[in-house]
Amino acid sequence: MNRHECYMKRCLDLAVLGMGTVSPNPMVGAVIVCHDAIIGEGYTSPYGGPHAEVNAVQSVIAKYGTEKARQLFATSTIYVSLEPCAHFGKTPPCADMLISCGLPKVVVGCLDPFSKVNGLGIEKLQLAGIEVVTGVLEEECQYMNRRFFMQINENRPYVILKWAETSDGYFAPADTVQRWISNAASKQLVHKWRSEEDAILVGKNTALIDNPSLTNRCWTGKSPKRILIDRDLDIPADYHLLDQSTETIVFNAVKSEWHTNLKYIEIENFDLYLSQSVLYQLYLMDVQSIIIEGGAKTLQMFINAGLWDEARVFVSEESWGVGMVAPKINGALDIKLQVSDDHLLVYRPIL
C-alpha cells in the first residue's frame, strides 16, 4: 500500500463514523497531511452539519490557530474519500472552501455521482490551480457509499434482506406460534444494524404474529423509520407498530392520511409491482437504505423482483425437522462470520 492509499484508508476509517447519522448525505472522511504528517482530520457531521473537509480544516485551525494553519495549508495535501461538493445545499460548497484555504493539492477517492457535483468539484479545484489526484482506493470508496450511489444512480434505497433460519433450512414454525431462532448476540447485532440504516420493513403477517416494535432497544443510536405493508389495514390500532413512538409509514390500498408520526400511503394497483412502488415512494422521501425484515412472503416478493443488494442470513444450530422453508436467493456468499453459536452469511446478487 503506497502513501496515498494509506491516507485514503484513514479517510475511510473516519467516514464510517458517520454511519446512521449523515443520510441522505454520503459518508465522507478527510485527512490533511503536511510533510508526511497528519495535521488534521474529520468526517461528515450528522445531516445538515459541516462536511468532512470543513471539519478537517477546522481541526487544524483549532489546534494551531488561524495564522499558523494558513501557513501549514500552503504546503499541505488534503485527502478526501469523495469528491468535494460544488453546490450550495445545507452547507456552502466544500470545493470553494478548499480553494480559500490555499491548499495546493487534493487527493480524491472517487467521484460524486450527484448531478450537481459529478466532476464539477474537481473542475472548480483545477481551475483554481489546485493539483487534483483521483481514483485512489476508488472501489473501496465507492463501496463505502454504496447506499448513496444506489439512491442516486437507481432512484431507490439500498435493500438489505435479513432473516434467521435453522440448520435444516426452516424460517418459521408451521403454525403461527412465535419461536426464536437466533441467539442473543445476533439480536444485538441486528439492533446495531437498525441504528445504521434509514428504514426497516415488515409485512402484515409478521406484524400480526410477532407484534414487533422494530425499534433500537439493544444498541445506542436512532431507531429506523418503520415501514409496514398492510393492504387492507388489518393491523389493530393497539399494536406496537402503530404506537407513534417513531416515524412509521403504512403502505396500503385504502387511504392516504398523515398524523404526527404515522403516515398512511395508498398505493393504486396495489398488487402490481408492489415492491417497486414501495421503494420508489421511499426514494422520494429520501430513504437511502432499508432492511427487509420479513416475513417469508414479503422477503420473497423483493427477491423475485430482483430488488435486493445484500442478504444477511443467520443460521442457528437448531434443527426443527418441519416448518416454513426459508427464502431462496440467487446470490454469491461474500462474508461468513461466527456470532456466538450462530453463523452469519452475507450474500450479494449474482449479476
Side-chain angles (χ1 to χ4, degrees):
M1 185 176 288
N2 62 37
R3 187 178 73 254
H4 282 342
E5 290 174 344
C6 285
Y7 291 130
M8 192 58 69
K9 177 63 168 60
R10 177 59 183 165
C11 289
L12 292 173
D13 291 341
L14 291 164
V16 77
L17 298 176
M19 174 74 81
T21 66
V22 303
S23 178
N25 283 340
M27 295 178 287
V28 183
V31 172
I32 300 174
V33 178
C34 184
H35 302 302
D36 288 327
I38 294 176
I39 61 171
E41 56 186 28
Y43 60 93
T44 301
S45 301
Y47 181 62
H51 292 181
E53 301 93 317
V54 175
N55 287 331
V57 164
Q58 288 301 317
S59 74
V60 178
I61 293 172
K63 184 175 181 180
Y64 296 99
T66 302
E67 185 175 345
K68 178 63 174 176
R70 284 210 158 270
Q71 294 172 8
L72 292 170
F73 290 150
T75 56
S76 295
T77 298
I78 185 168
Y79 292 79
V80 59
S81 55
L82 186 71
E83 177 183 7
C85 61
H87 67 295
F88 282 88
K90 294 283 185 180
T91 61
C94 289
D96 291 353
M97 185 273 300
L98 295 179
I99 293 168
S100 70
C101 288
L103 286 151
K105 187 173 182 177
V106 178
V107 180
V108 175
C110 64
L111 299 185
D112 187 330
F114 184 47
S115 60
K116 292 183 178 180
V117 181
N118 194 2
L120 299 178
I122 288 172
E123 182 181 9
K124 269 193 175 188
L125 297 171
Q126 291 174 329
L127 288 174
I130 295 174
E131 179 187 355
V132 180
V133 176
T134 61
V136 177
L137 296 185
E138 183 174 26
E139 289 186 8
E140 292 88 336
C141 291
Q142 290 172 341
Y143 182 77
M144 169 66 66
N145 278 307
R146 58 197 183 278
R147 298 162 179 80
F148 176 71
F149 276 60
M150 181 61 66
Q151 182 187 41
I152 297 298
N153 293 330
E154 301 296 332
N155 296 340
R156 68 165 175 85
Y158 187 87
V159 176
I160 300 167
L161 309 179
K162 174 262 166 186
W163 72 85
E165 62 183 63
T166 62
S167 60
D168 52 350
Y170 293 107
F171 170 85
D175 53 26
T176 58
V177 176
Q178 187 181 27
R179 189 173 175 184
W180 200 259
I181 297 176
S182 54
N183 60 43
S186 296
K187 179 179 180 180
Q188 186 177 44
L189 180 56
V190 168
H191 282 237
K192 177 179 182 291
W193 293 343
R194 290 179 183 180
S195 75
E196 296 171 345
E197 311 302 339
D198 285 353
I200 185 168
L201 180 149
V202 295
K204 178 193 73 174
N205 290 338
T206 295
L208 285 172
I209 295 168
D210 296 346
N211 190 16
S213 296
L214 301 185
T215 51
N216 182 16
R217 305 178 304 282
C218 301
W219 197 262
T220 58
K222 66 172 181 61
S223 291
K225 290 181 174 65
R226 302 183 297 194
I227 315 299
L228 171 63
I229 296 177
D230 183 7
R231 188 186 194 283
D232 299 313
L233 300 181
D234 293 325
I235 303 302
D238 60 350
Y239 267 44
H240 296 318
L241 283 176
L242 304 182
D243 63 10
Q244 299 205 47
S245 62
T246 191
E247 185 177 352
T248 303
I249 300 164
V250 182
F251 289 104
N252 67 92
V254 179
K255 66 179 181 180
S256 289
E257 186 176 292
W258 290 43
H259 304 284
T260 304
N261 244 359
L262 182 58
K263 302 175 176 65
Y264 292 92
I265 297 180
E266 181 181 358
I267 294 183
E268 295 183 8
N269 302 315
F270 188 88
D271 297 315
L272 187 65
Y273 302 115
L274 178 59
S275 53
Q276 290 90 336
S277 297
V278 166
L279 292 182
Y280 185 64
Q281 288 294 327
L282 294 175
Y283 160 76
L284 294 176
M285 301 171 76
D286 262 343
V287 172
Q288 194 177 90
S289 62
I290 186 167
I291 300 171
I292 310 299
E293 181 98 355
K297 180 181 176 182
T298 300
L299 284 161
Q300 201 63 52
M301 177 178 70
F302 284 90
I303 292 169
N304 292 345
L307 292 172
W308 65 280
D309 304 292
E310 291 181 33
R312 300 175 182 177
V313 183
F314 290 102
V315 181
S316 79
E317 293 185 338
E318 285 198 34
S319 177
W320 287 358
V322 67
M324 183 181 296
V325 176
K328 303 298 181 185
I329 55 172
N330 182 28
L333 181 62
D334 186 44
I335 299 170
K336 183 176 182 179
L337 296 173
Q338 189 81 27
V339 185
S340 187
D341 57 353
D342 288 342
H343 293 285
L344 171 61
L345 309 180
V346 180
Y347 297 91
R348 309 282 179 191
I350 297 175
L351 302 177

